[in-house]
Amino acid sequence: MTQQTWNAQQYINHASFVPQLANPVLDLLNPKSGETILDLGCGDGALTLKISEAGATVQGIDSSESMIEMAQQRGLAAEVGSGENLQFNRQFDAVFSNAALHWMPDYHAVINGVNRALKDKGRFVGEFGGQGNIGALIEAMQTVFAQHPEYGEFKHPWFFPSASEYQQALEARGFQVNYMELIPRPTPLKTGVREWLKIFARQITQDLNQEQKETFYQEAEMLLKPVLYSEKEGWVADYVRLRFAAFKG
Ligand code: BEZ
């Protein structure tokens, strides 16, 4: 599977709910003036900016050039890089990550890199998709693929661990876990499920031609309507967050 690609403007237009819903994990991070913080998977820098407004010195890193350009336009220190191959050494008081770690399936490499990047007693605070996240969305996409064998094998790129699995992975690499919670968080999709699929299912549809992609969006939307849509609330995605805070022991 090739890498997910991002278009920062499309993300801002249709997925700005992602940073907008991040207050609980920002509160958990509790950034302080004078701290140095790494924002891992910083995207367009919306949260990196908030952390810097608290007085911390923040460095953003993201695998997408388009996102990093947007973060730099906000005046942030941000660089292109892989979370699975972090090259920092004992320089951060905290590593923060929102809605990014599920895109990094080599989580052992991520946790090792975070551990190296932190000073002693530094903290790793984050939130990402946990066990059961977007279950209905995945099932619908899988069903469409099953109905069209010509689309090839259905594979998705995400890693959605249980709380115990992630806690064990952190502890095995020298972290002490203070907080770990799996939180169902139904998430309104104001611009609809089709836009969500266009942004987030890009790797899944990468080998389909334009006509096949259209059919994929249409059929997935049809399957999902009875499950995720209501007249009253519109489209609401079945998100489940795994929120955590751990210290380098
Ligand atoms: C999430 O934030 O949980 C998520 C978003 C897009 C694709 C997969 C997961």
Side-chain angles (χ1 to χ4, degrees), residues 174-193:
F175 281 97
Q176 283 177 30
V177 176
N178 284 12
Y179 170 78
M180 176 76 63
E181 193 177 0
L182 195 64
I183 306 161
R185 194 203 62 197
T187 298
L189 305 177
K190 288 208 174 72
T191 60
V193 78

Side-chain angles (χ1 to χ4, degrees), residues 102-103 129 133-134 158 160 196 200 239 241:
H102 47 251
W103 294 100
N133 191 41
I134 59 166
W158 305 300
F160 299 138
W196 188 97
F200 293 116
Y239 276 32
R241 305 289 84 191

Side-chain angles (χ1 to χ4, degrees), residues 140-141 143-145 147-148 151 193-195 197-198 201 205 208-226 235:
M141 293 189 268
T143 302
V144 177
F145 265 67
Q147 284 166 352
H148 296 274
Y151 290 3
V193 78
R194 190 178 278 243
E195 293 304 330
L197 291 166
K198 283 185 184 166
T205 59
L208 308 189
N209 63 35
Q210 207 42 52
E211 196 184 329
Q212 290 171 326
K213 277 184 191 155
E214 255 323 298
T215 306
F216 171 82
Y217 298 139
Q218 206 174 335
E219 293 186 4
E221 189 170 31
M222 223 169 57
L223 287 169
L224 286 163
K225 199 157 185 184
W235 286 97

Side-chain angles (χ1 to χ4, degrees), residues 1-4 153-158 203-206:
M1 221 173 210
T2 58
Q3 269 230 323
Q4 163 82 7
E153 191 194 345
F154 176 79
K155 277 186 268 163
H156 76 70
W158 305 300
Q203 275 167 292
I204 291 166
T205 59
Q206 69 194 357

Side-chain angles (χ1 to χ4, degrees), residues 37-164:
I37 299 181
L38 178 67
D39 185 357
L40 171 55
C42 65
D44 62 28
L47 295 178
T48 326
L49 187 60
K50 280 199 173 181
I51 297 168
S52 75
E53 284 166 359
T57 301
V58 198
Q59 165 79 50
I61 185 165
D62 200 281
S63 60
S64 158
E65 275 180 36
S66 169
M67 292 292 202
I68 287 297
E69 270 172 31
M70 189 63 82
Q72 288 171 344
Q73 280 167 24
R74 295 183 197 264
L76 296 161
E79 65 184 50
V80 176
S82 163
E84 292 167 326
N85 187 23
L86 293 174
Q87 297 296 326
F88 304 102
N89 202 1
R90 293 176 168 271
Q91 65 199 78
F92 295 104
D93 296 299
V95 175
F96 170 78
S97 186
N98 181 56
L101 296 172
H102 47 251
W103 294 100
M104 304 173 203
D106 191 356
Y107 60 102
H108 296 303
V110 174
I111 294 170
N112 281 332
V114 170
N115 193 298
R116 265 195 311 275
L118 285 169
K119 298 176 188 172
D120 287 344
K121 306 287 174 201
R123 62 201 190 279
F124 182 24
V125 177
E127 180 174 308
F128 64 112
Q131 188 175 42
N133 191 41
I134 59 166
L137 280 153
I138 292 174
E139 195 183 323
M141 293 189 268
Q142 191 160 19
T143 302
V144 177
F145 265 67
Q147 284 166 352
H148 296 274
E150 69 279 14
Y151 290 3
E153 191 194 345
F154 176 79
K155 277 186 268 163
H156 76 70
W158 305 300
F159 156 66
F160 299 138
S162 67
S164 61

